[in-house]
Amino acid sequence: MYIDKEHDDQLRTIRQEIDTLKVKGDALFCKKCSHIMQGFTIGNAKLLQCGYCGNRIAEMMKSD
């Protein structure tokens, strides 16, 4: 299967963005499907939800 230049450029940009998130340490990946999880903060809880499989995780944030 061959992809055209436009799709190749899109995939390259997605890979670069994921690598940037990995380096920053901001990204968390789903343990079920390995997709990036979206984070929400409500009060002192950090809620993460996978946009692909719907897996959810809740974490309590440390209070200073």
Side-chain angles (χ1 to χ4, degrees):
M1 181 173 135
Y2 296 99
I3 58 176
D4 59 6
K5 182 157 178 52
E6 181 181 335
H7 286 113
D8 188 44
D9 291 341
Q10 288 175 345
L11 289 173
R12 187 174 292 117
T13 356
I14 291 170
R15 283 187 204 113
Q16 288 173 348
E17 186 65 29
I18 290 173
D19 289 342
T20 304
L21 289 172
K22 284 180 181 178
V23 168
K24 286 183 182 177
D26 293 341
L28 291 175
F29 295 89
C30 181
K31 295 192 186 320
K32 287 184 179 180
C33 66
S34 300
H35 284 83
I36 294 177
M37 299 188 80
Q38 300 168 343
F40 307 97
T41 303
I42 300 175
N44 62 347
K46 183 176 182 181
L47 306 174
L48 301 164
Q49 181 175 1
C50 179
Y52 186 75
C53 71
N55 186 26
R56 293 181 183 157
I57 298 173
E59 297 177 350
M60 297 300 290
M61 296 169 49
K62 294 179 182 177
S63 59
D64 294 330

